[in-house]
């Protein structure tokens, strides 16, 4: 479990990078034989691409680095439970194990809403470990969205004051 906590710490650093540029703070790290081969954070807002999730970007980087679409002996660390799109990419890229921090009650497909990663009808299943540094990962997200709501509220109040 110590290794899981260490690599999740690297994913948390990636999530903080996302937050620093106004992105939802989600980070991902792919590890092969104890070596980080890819890391990424959300870039959906900055790039205006719906597929620019941390997991997808990390998977793409890892495939380029190892020269294969098969990531069979890799472990993916991600701060938030993968969504359906990311879970599909994880299965299709044959990631061996997924370790995530916070559960996602709205889109989680690694055990919360469903578990695409262990679905036996697919030709690949992943080992799933949840709740690693969960409180820290969840706090990143809740504080980000709280701050976002406060900014929107102030903006709305400012517009209403200008109309009066």
């Amino acid at each position: 479990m110590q290794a899981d906590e260490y690599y999740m710490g690297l994913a948390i650093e990636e999530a903080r990078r996302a937050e620093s540029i106004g992105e939802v703070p989600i980070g991902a790290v792919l590890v092969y034989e104890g070596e980080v081969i890819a890391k990424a954070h959300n870039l959906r807002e900055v790039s205006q691409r719906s597929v620019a999730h941390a997991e997808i970007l990390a998977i793409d980087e890892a495939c380029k680095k190892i020269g294969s679409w098969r990531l069979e002996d890799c472990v993916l660390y991600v701060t938030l439970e993968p969504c359906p799109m990311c879970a599909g990419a994880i299965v299709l890229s044959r990631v061996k194990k997924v370790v995530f921090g916070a559960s996602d009650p709205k889109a989680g497909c690694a055990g919360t809403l469903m578990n695409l990663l262990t679905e036996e009808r697919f030709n690949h299943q992943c080992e799933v470990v949840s709740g690693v540094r969960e409180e820290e990962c969840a706090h990143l997200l809740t504080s980000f969205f709280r701050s976002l709501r406060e900014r929107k509220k102030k903006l709305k109040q400012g517009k209403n004051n200008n109309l009066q």
Side-chain angles (χ1 to χ4, degrees):
M1 190 59 127
Q2 252 180 340
D4 286 351
E5 290 182 6
Y6 170 76
Y7 291 118
M8 185 61 72
L10 298 178
I12 290 168
E13 287 176 19
E14 284 297 313
R16 288 190 176 121
R17 283 188 180 94
E19 184 176 37
S20 74
I21 59 171
E23 288 284 347
V24 177
I26 301 170
V29 173
L30 260 157
V31 176
Y32 174 71
E33 294 182 349
E35 178 189 343
V36 174
I37 61 167
K39 46 188 178 168
H41 53 271
N42 270 18
L43 291 174
R44 188 171 62 174
E45 296 300 324
V46 170
S47 68
Q48 287 299 299
R49 293 178 13 245
S50 58
V51 297
H53 287 204
E55 301 96 319
I56 301 285
L57 298 172
I59 287 169
D60 192 46
E61 182 182 326
C63 290
K64 289 175 186 171
K65 183 162 187 172
I66 67 169
S68 175
W69 62 270
R70 292 178 181 267
L71 302 174
E72 292 168 327
D73 294 318
C74 293
V75 180
L76 174 68
Y77 294 87
V78 61
T79 55
L80 182 66
E81 180 180 5
C83 72
M85 174 179 68
C86 293
I90 291 164
V91 169
L92 293 174
S93 62
R94 310 293 196 269
V95 170
K96 178 181 178 180
K97 177 180 172 184
V98 174
V99 179
F100 70 87
S103 295
D104 185 351
K106 294 182 179 178
C109 284
T112 299
L113 296 179
M114 63 185 68
N115 194 337
L116 294 177
L117 301 179
T118 61
E119 175 55 57
E120 292 180 5
R121 292 175 290 179
F122 291 136
N123 64 348
H124 177 77
Q125 293 80 40
C126 305
E127 178 185 347
V128 177
V129 176
S130 61
V132 175
R133 295 179 70 168
E134 180 175 17
E135 195 172 301
E136 198 173 348
C137 292
H139 178 72
L140 275 168
L141 290 157
T142 56
S143 64
F144 173 81
F145 285 113
R146 184 180 303 117
S147 176
L148 186 63
R149 284 190 300 273
E150 288 170 6
R151 282 195 306 270
K152 285 182 178 180
K153 185 178 177 182
K154 285 179 184 176
L155 227 140
K156 188 176 180 181
Q157 288 172 344
K159 284 181 182 178
N160 288 341
N161 289 341
N162 290 337
L163 294 175
Q164 295 175 355

